[in-house]
Structure formats: C-alpha cells, structure tokens
Amino acid sequence: MKIELNHLARMEGHANLVVDAVDGAIKECRLDVVESPRFFEEILKGRHYSDVAPIAARICGVCSVSHTLVSLAATEQALGVVVSDQTRGLRRLLSHGENMQSHLLHLFFMAAPDYLGVSSLTELARDRRELVSRALRLKKTANDLVRVVGGRAVHPATTCVGGFSVLPGVAELQEVRRNLVAALADLEETVALFADFEIPWMARETEYICLRTEQGYPGLDGDLFSSEGVSCPVARFETMISEYHQPHSNAKFARATRENFMVGPLARYKNAGEHLSSMAKKVAEALGLNRTTVNPFEANYARLVEVVHFLESSVHLIDGLLLKGLKPESVWVPPVGGKGAAAVEAPRGLLFHSYAYDEKGRIESADCVIPTAQNLGNIEADLHHLAPSLLHLPRTEMARHLEMLVRAYDPCISCSTHLMKIDFV
Amino acid sequence: MKKRIGFFDFTGCEGCQLTVLNLEEQWLELIELVEVAAFREILADTGEALDIAFVEGSVGHPQEVRRLEETRSRCEVLVALGSCADNAGINALSHFCEPQRLAYSAYGREVEGIEKTLPRPLSCFVKVDARLPGCPVDGEEFLQLLQALLVGRTPELPTYSVCVECKLGEYPCTFDQGTVCLGPVTRAGCHALCIAGGDRCRGCRGLVDNPRSHPYRQILEEHGLTVEDILSEFRIFNLPPEKS
Ligand code: SF4
Ligand code: SF4
C-alpha cells in the first residue's frame, strides 16, 4: 500500500507526504519538500547592513518579524551596536505580536478544521459565524499590534539596525492595549473550544531545544538549552546543532545530542514552562497539558497557552513603555566590520542567523538555520512511530492522521527551503 | 452564480496570501460574494474550473512550470499577486549572483542549468491578465482589483510615482537624509509605507510606466543621479527585461 499526498493543504509552503507499507510493515515514510530554492544566503552577499533585514524578512511572510529581529540582532552583534531598553521592549512586543498572529492563524485556520470535521474554517462562516468572527477578531488584534509597532503586518518597515526609525504613537499603543484586554473573553471561549477537541494520543520522547534565560519565557535572548541537560551560548550554535542533507528532500535536516530533536511551542513549554504567566499556567491546566507530555499533537495546546502568555506579557510591556514615555533615539552605527550571530524564538521555534561583515558594512557571508529544518528529522521520526499503529485504518483515515501529525508542527516550508537539494530534470 | 476564485502559490514567502487573509472582517464579507474554491494555505483544492486565479510567487523549476500551466488552463483570468509573481520580487537578486556560487550555497556542488531554473515572473511562462504589485500586496488594493474584475472592468494601477504619495503624506524626502530612494521611479499605491516608517523605498511595486519622462526625475538630478543610476538600484525587487 502506498499513500502519496502531494502539496499538503493547510500548511505554509509545499511538501509531499509519502508512506509506503508492505505486509503490515512501513517501508517508507517521509516528508518531501518540493519548493524551489531561493538562495537567501547567497543573495545577501554584498548587501549593505541597512538592506539585510528587509531582504532576510522575505524568507518567510508568516515569520517576517522573527527573521527581521534575528537579522538585526546578528548585524548589531557583528558591528558592535548596543540597543536601548526601549528598543528591546518594543522588539519583544513585536515578537509577541507575531507569535500570537502566527499561532492564531495555525490554531483556527490550519488545526481546528481537523477537529471540527470540515476542510476549511470558511466552511463554517454561515453555520458557526460566531466562531469564525472570533477567530478573525483575535487574529486582527495580534496583527494590529505588529502593524502599530512595525509599520506593517507582514515585513516590518520601522525596524532598523540600532532601534526603530519611527516609534509607535501613544494613542495607537493604548488602543492596542484596550483591544488586547478585550480579547481575553474571546480567548476564554477559544480555550473552551479547544479543550473539547479530542487530541490524538501518541507518545514518543525526543530532545527538546529552545532559548533559555533565568528571568523569563524563551524569546529574544538567552543561551541554547536542550532537555538533554546541555546548553551553549548562541555564538557556538554549531557545537550543539549540526545540519545535514537527506537525498529525498529539498530542505536541510539537523541533529543535536540525539538523532533528532524538536523546537517550537511544545519544546519551549517543556523546557521553560515555569516562566509562563499565571493565567497561561491555568489555561494549560484547563487543557490538561502538562510538562511531562511527549505527545507531539499537544503542540497545539502549547500554542494556545503561549497566546495567553504573550497577550498578558504584551499588556505589561505596553504599560512599562508608556509609563517611561517613548523617546526618539538617534542611532549611530559604527562603520566597521565583524562577525555576529543571534537566535530568537520564532513561532515555530529556534531561528538562528549568523553574518560576517566587511569593513564597509557589507555582508560577506550569511548562514540561516530555520526552525522547520530543525524539526524535519523529528517529524519523520514521529511519522515512522505513528504509522504502524494506523495500518488497520482505511487509507484516507490513515492519511488524515499522518497529515494532522505533520500539521501539528505547523511546518513552514517556504522558509525552510531557503536552502535545498534537488535534482534538475 | 457566484464567481469562483482561487489562490495559488509558487516560490515566495506567502506574505501576499497572508495579507489577503489579514483582511479579517472584509475577508468574511468577501467569502459571501465569491466562492473561494482553492487556497492551499487554509483549504484543500478541488481542482475545478475557476473564474479568477490569484497566483503568488515566482516560477522556476520545471515542475512548477507545469503546475502553473495547469492553473492557467483552468481559469478565465489569471492575476499575478505580489512582486515575486509580477516581476520576480526578492528572487530577482539571485539572477545577479554567479550561478555556480548559488549552486554551491545550496547543493555543495556544481549544477548544470541553474540559470534556467532560477525563479522568474509568471509572464515568462503563461499569459497574465492583471497584476497586483507590492511586497507584500496592499489588502485594500487587492479588494479594489477583485471588485473591478467582478464587474468586468479592467483593473488599473496608479500611473504616478511613490514620490507623489510621499509628498501627500508630508514625509521628509529620503534624499535629504543622504539616502538613495527609489520613490521617484516606483509605481505608487502603497501610500509611501516604507518612507512613513522612516526607511527608504526599495522599489517593490515596480517601475512607473515612463520613468525617463517622469517629473520626479528632477529630484534625482538635484542629487546628482540619473534615472539610469537609479534603475541599477532596482534589482532588489525587480528582474530587468534582459534577464527574464
Ligand atoms: S511578493 Fe513579497 S510578500 Fe509576496 S510572496 Fe513575494 S516576497 Fe512574499
Ligand atoms: S515605499 Fe517603495 S518599497 Fe516600500 S512599499 Fe512602497 S513601493 Fe514598496
């Protein structure tokens, strides 16, 4: 029996799922990434530091804020630029906005239809209008936050090396704050909705990696931390994580202590759940999520828990920023070269950029390691683990389960194919 | 009968499709007026005939070319959605790198024929009926274009440059800060968004129709630049005709 699903729906980017079973045993089970390459590391070469983040942002529309922020941080590392507390606060706010925006898009538009038994959320626009409106309202609140701070909901325009070229308006930030608080009622309903879903059961323990600091939930700073108990500074990323090619896929794979590992909301929740806001912890409890989980399907719950945490944290951040008062800052960038590396927690997990600049401030080399590329090996290992238990099911049912598993990772293929391996025909 | 529309994506970042989804409430109204029959990011495609296909991303790999041709054959009107589809967008930059260096960065070895499969605009492969430039596209402009197509009007893009919108917004001229800006030769429609954000225009919406005869040429001359100088800056988001 062979199942081939081409161009999986409700995912970012294009991938094919291939499962081949012979006499009740899985012969082959893999995820092929089929987008064409975009060569970002090469096209960045020679670009001036002021153009680098806007170009890197285009690696992914869904995670454009994360690519922007990590690109700026790596450039600042390289050029020796130190940013102010205000900039750090605004960047965290932007990052919260993107994480919420992306998680909500996934939860409602990609994951929920599986559990509601429809092929798309828009099918429910007539019969369950309230649910669809709620989804859009929540997503809009998160988008507005990104728009107000970053100048645009996709591919921010106000962010630059050293800080922000234009600051958000006080009145706009206050309005965002009001809407965030008002969104809590919608979130409560959402938690009730997801708590009713029957999350498939599966258990496969793996290595979980994220950024970690003493103070808070993983975000824009800290060291790399693995559930295997190892940690290392971001600059020595390669000593912990190594990338490799698989012949069937256009994207790269990665391994750390074990053969494969997981990054993303579930990894963050498992490794650093003690830093969640109290409301987020309560939501985790209500959903029956707990930090010992080794069920990849529960990533959706971790996503929802994070939305609550980021929302609360955004309100506090806005309060802090407004209390101090936003002040225009002039940013001086020294005309020097150097090397720099940075990592952030993108919605799908650890995202890493490292650059070398020449003395004119132009990029000499770039390396980007993307969350989905890190997760790919783990997704395949999970597929291998799950498939044998589904062999008794009809083909379509089996395919549906496997697709749901892939989707639980919210893989972002457009982004992971910045580097790929293909054979030309 | 409701018109059937579909969204298709090729090599790009999906930021344009996301911008359409970000229309939020307007999206909800839109799905009452038209039938969204294909949108891989949020629903599975049924493969039926369509009235309008919005196509995002550039096309390079032979498999992608086939999929684009198949999309073309099942729709009445095909719209290039965003810079990648319209003029190669950010992918244009790869055409200025040495092919073997690209191959090495991606595959760690030399690869034959890589120039032939570099991402190109849709119009290199199929007939394109309408275009919506921008990286990403502007949501409101998308709605206007859709409206025009639904009532059978030919959609029009602004003919003036970003400079006009910049002046209307009363933003300080980027050139006065010593930074080269592509506003004078870039087609308007974004309300000078990047300049409002304190950045410069990088030309994501493509060229105005007659850049050489355009009034904002003067700004360039005042700063010692020619239209030719500025056109050479244009490659971040635009593939020049000789490369396509
Ligand atoms: S035009 Fe820009 S936003 Fe649209 S797909 Fe291409 S890179 Fe993404
Ligand atoms: S200002 Fe220029 S680069 Fe920015 S959105 Fe407008 S056309 Fe595109």
Side-chain angles (χ1 to χ4, degrees):
Chain A
M1 178 179 79
K2 188 160 181 163
I3 296 179
E4 268 193 69
L5 293 172
N6 291 334
H7 296 283
L8 296 185
R10 284 190 274 122
M11 275 181 39
E12 307 293 339
H14 294 263
N16 302 338
L17 180 64
V18 181
V19 180
D20 196 358
V22 179
D23 297 333
I26 302 291
K27 219 177 88 196
E28 190 151 39
C29 190
R30 52 172 222 261
L31 191 65
D32 293 358
V33 172
V34 292
E35 286 209 357
S36 65
R38 292 159 73 217
F39 310 110
F40 272 93
E41 279 131 338
E42 199 57 35
I43 65 180
L44 280 170
K45 279 190 194 158
R47 309 308 312 184
H48 186 252
Y49 69 77
S50 60
D51 281 338
V52 170
I55 294 173
R58 267 78 187 181
I59 294 176
C60 175
V62 191
C63 308
S64 62
V65 167
S66 292
H67 279 286
T68 300
L69 295 180
V70 75
S71 169
L72 292 173
T75 300
E76 285 156 0
Q77 273 284 328
L79 305 181
V81 177
V82 180
V83 300
S84 67
D85 281 348
Q86 175 177 298
T87 290
R88 264 194 293 276
L90 285 170
R91 285 182 180 175
R92 272 176 58 207
L93 197 53
L94 251 188
S95 159
H96 286 354
E98 173 174 271
N99 271 283
M100 286 193 274
Q101 175 192 60
S102 172
H103 282 1
L104 289 163
L105 179 76
H106 179 87
L107 289 167
F108 280 109
F109 285 88
M110 302 182 187
D114 283 330
Y115 296 99
L116 295 167
V118 290
S119 72
S120 139
L121 197 72
T122 53
E123 258 180 67
L124 301 175
R126 188 161 310 125
D127 300 337
R128 298 191 69 177
R129 181 105 183 164
E130 191 35 49
L131 190 159
V132 181
S133 304
R134 193 188 310 131
L136 293 170
R137 247 190 335 260
L138 280 168
K139 203 162 75 63
K140 182 173 184 329
T141 306
N143 277 333
D144 284 345
L145 169 57
V146 176
R147 198 177 295 124
V148 163
V149 182
R152 179 162 52 191
V154 175
H155 302 321
T158 59
T159 41
C160 63
V161 176
F164 282 80
S165 47
V166 164
L167 295 172
V170 171
E172 288 170 305
L173 273 182
Q174 280 165 338
E175 195 189 327
V176 168
R177 188 199 187 281
R178 267 196 301 279
N179 292 338
L180 286 170
V181 174
L184 280 170
D186 281 339
L187 265 187
E188 219 178 305
E189 298 272 339
T190 306
V191 172
L193 175 78
F194 275 78
D196 271 350
F197 291 165
E198 215 176 294
I199 301 283
W201 190 82
M202 167 178 165
R204 191 185 72 87
E205 208 216 343
T206 184
E207 182 175 2
Y208 303 89
I209 300 183
C210 67
L211 285 176
R212 205 164 81 152
T213 62
E214 292 306 309
Q215 299 90 17
Y217 199 70
L220 304 182
D221 15 55
D223 286 344
L224 297 183
F225 173 82
S226 151
S227 55
E228 294 290 298
V230 279
S231 73
C232 85
V234 168
R236 288 201 279 113
F237 186 89
E238 277 115 346
T239 61
M240 195 156 141
I241 292 171
S242 57
E243 289 188 288
Y244 63 98
H245 282 302
Q246 284 282 58
H248 62 77
S249 182
N250 294 338
K252 287 201 293 191
F253 286 65
R255 68 164 78 84
T257 316
R258 300 195 189 181
E259 205 38 46
N260 39 60
F261 63 92
M262 181 197 268
V263 296
L266 198 60
R268 294 190 285 252
Y269 172 72
K270 282 183 63 84
N271 284 350
E274 74 271 21
H275 293 301
L276 284 169
S277 71
S278 52
M279 213 191 308
K281 281 181 184 154
K282 280 200 201 103
V283 167
E285 215 175 290
L287 292 167
L289 179 66
N290 110 31
R291 285 175 67 196
T292 56
T293 177
V294 286
N295 179 358
F297 286 100
E298 292 206 307
N300 279 327
Y301 280 168
R303 242 170 233 124
L304 187 50
V305 167
E306 283 194 343
V307 172
V308 177
H309 173 82
F310 292 137
L311 184 139
E312 234 187 315
S313 172
S314 301
V315 172
H316 294 316
L317 264 171
I318 295 177
D319 287 345
L321 286 161
L322 291 179
L323 196 69
K324 278 203 184 132
L326 290 172
K327 296 173 204 67
E329 306 167 315
S330 63
V331 182
W332 185 74
V333 180
V336 292
K339 284 186 179 170
V344 303
E345 285 289 345
R348 286 153 196 80
L350 202 56
L351 169 64
F352 175 87
H353 285 201
S354 85
Y355 304 138
Y357 280 94
D358 68 13
E359 68 290 350
K360 290 205 193 84
R362 294 192 180 269
I363 259 202
E364 280 177 332
S365 69
D367 186 21
C368 312
V369 184
I370 306 285
T372 296
Q374 298 171 64
N375 271 335
L376 274 176
N378 209 60
I379 298 179
E380 285 200 356
D382 276 352
L383 285 170
H384 270 282
H385 183 92
L386 185 66
S389 67
L390 304 174
L391 285 172
H392 63 285
L393 294 173
R395 265 170 98 95
T396 49
E397 266 305 287
M398 178 174 182
R400 194 178 72 88
H401 267 82
L402 294 174
E403 226 184 310
M404 272 170 74
L405 173 61
V406 175
R407 215 174 274 135
Y409 280 83
D410 195 10
C412 194
I413 307 294
S414 27
C415 158
S416 54
T417 54
H418 73 294
L419 254 189
M420 60 191 292
K421 190 172 161 70
I422 46 174
D423 288 314
F424 290 104
V425 287
Chain B
M1 243 230 333
K2 279 192 195 174
K3 296 266 188 205
R4 290 167 59 87
I5 71 169
F7 293 83
F8 299 88
D9 57 321
F10 289 83
T11 296
C13 80
E14 302 200 10
C16 293
Q17 285 186 82
L18 194 64
T19 302
V20 172
L21 277 182
N22 283 353
L23 286 167
E24 330 284 3
E25 284 107 89
Q26 296 178 78
W27 169 256
L28 209 51
E29 285 166 33
L30 186 137
I31 57 179
E32 285 184 2
L33 296 175
V34 295
E35 185 190 339
V36 180
F39 200 143
R40 194 193 43 80
E41 200 170 338
I42 56 166
L43 93 173
D45 182 13
T46 54
E48 286 170 60
L50 298 165
D51 294 292
I52 310 167
F54 290 94
V55 182
E56 178 203 68
S58 314
V59 170
H61 193 273
Q63 276 174 17
E64 285 196 322
V65 177
R66 282 196 288 278
R67 194 158 61 83
L68 177 64
E69 285 167 351
E70 188 266 331
T71 307
R72 173 73 266 189
S73 69
R74 43 189 277 230
C75 70
E76 283 291 315
V77 176
L78 187 138
V79 185
L81 188 69
S83 306
C84 290
D86 183 36
N87 205 12
I90 203 82
N91 301 320
L93 281 173
S94 60
H95 293 258
F96 298 92
C97 300
E98 222 193 293
Q100 286 321 325
R101 290 241 314 253
L102 287 176
Y104 257 101
S105 83
Y107 317 115
R109 62 181 160 95
E110 301 218 345
V111 179
E112 287 293 311
I114 204 158
E115 308 91 325
K116 274 192 268 156
T117 59
L118 284 177
R120 286 184 161 74
L122 307 183
S123 57
C124 290
F125 306 97
V126 296
K127 177 167 156 274
V128 172
D129 304 297
R131 39 194 289 249
L132 196 66
C135 179
V137 294
D138 179 86
E140 289 299 322
E141 200 180 20
F142 165 81
L143 287 177
Q144 283 160 22
L145 178 125
L146 179 62
Q147 204 172 30
L149 291 175
L150 290 179
V151 299
R153 241 184 329 112
T154 312
E156 279 170 29
L157 292 170
T159 51
Y160 47 91
S161 77
V162 169
C163 270
V164 176
E165 293 182 322
C166 185
K167 302 289 170 287
L168 283 173
E170 298 184 12
Y171 308 123
C173 181
T174 312
F175 281 100
D176 290 343
Q177 281 130 48
T179 304
V180 168
C181 177
L182 294 180
V185 295
T186 300
R187 189 184 300 279
C190 61
H191 309 288
L193 185 134
C194 300
I195 296 141
D199 197 7
R200 68 190 190 107
C201 174
R202 293 183 177 83
C204 81
R205 294 180 51 87
L207 271 189
V208 285
D209 294 335
N210 295 302
R212 287 173 187 82
S213 59
H214 211 269
Y216 284 93
R217 208 178 65 225
Q218 290 160 11
I219 295 183
L220 300 178
E221 281 160 10
E222 278 164 27
H223 291 87
L225 288 165
T226 64
V227 171
E228 273 26 50
D229 291 336
I230 208 117
L231 287 184
S232 70
E233 282 272 314
F234 229 66
R235 47 165 117 152
I236 296 187
F237 287 108
N238 295 278
L239 195 63
E242 70 274 12
K243 290 269 184 187
S244 60

